[in-house]
Amino acid sequence: MNLGSAGGEEDEVLSTINTTPLVDVMLVLLIIFLLTIPVAIQTVPLDLPRASNIANVTKPENIVVAVDAAGQVFWNNERMADNQALLDRIKQVAVKEPQPEIHVRGDKNARFEFVGRVIVNCQRGGIMKVAFITEPDHGGNQEH
């Protein structure tokens, strides 16, 4: 605005926006996010077998693959001889329409290697949906 104008000239309106406060606020937000993101993404050791979730409706076409503590694999209560037998059985059911889900029941004391082999075989066999079955956590601290 021109305060010292003389005569009939119209006052000019300044149409520029002062961006300094905007830049200051953005820098403060950037610093806050840079400080809080590492805190938010830290991993915490968890006891994976316990979970609280909604009840699962088991369809008759779903297949339960169990892994006991010794690493033996069972297909609907039938013991599998080896990984190749499991893979062959998975390939047989993977072509069905609709494709059944594989529900993995891993013993709490089983090494993850054994459960991991089942997951890899499901992937290699072409199964699209794999789920884990856990015991519900009823809120009590259970001894390991």
Side-chain angles (χ1 to χ4, degrees), residues 80-93:
M80 295 280 96
D82 58 4
N83 280 333
Q84 187 60 43
L86 177 64
L87 181 59
D88 292 341
R89 185 74 66 94
I90 288 172
K91 286 181 179 179
Q92 288 175 1
V93 298

Side-chain angles (χ1 to χ4, degrees), residues 49-55 133-140 142:
R50 281 187 267 158
S52 59
N53 57 7
I54 59 173
I133 297 176
T134 59
E135 291 294 326
D137 185 15
H138 297 292
Q142 299 172 355

Side-chain angles (χ1 to χ4, degrees), residues 56-104:
N56 187 18
V57 178
T58 303
K59 301 175 189 170
E61 62 268 12
N62 290 345
I63 297 149
V64 176
V65 177
V67 181
D68 67 3
Q72 297 177 346
V73 178
F74 297 86
W75 179 280
N76 286 338
N77 298 328
E78 177 188 340
R79 187 175 181 281
M80 295 280 96
D82 58 4
N83 280 333
Q84 187 60 43
L86 177 64
L87 181 59
D88 292 341
R89 185 74 66 94
I90 288 172
K91 286 181 179 179
Q92 288 175 1
V93 298
V95 295
K96 292 183 179 179
E97 281 295 327
Q99 189 181 63
E101 296 178 14
I102 302 262
H103 293 179
V104 179

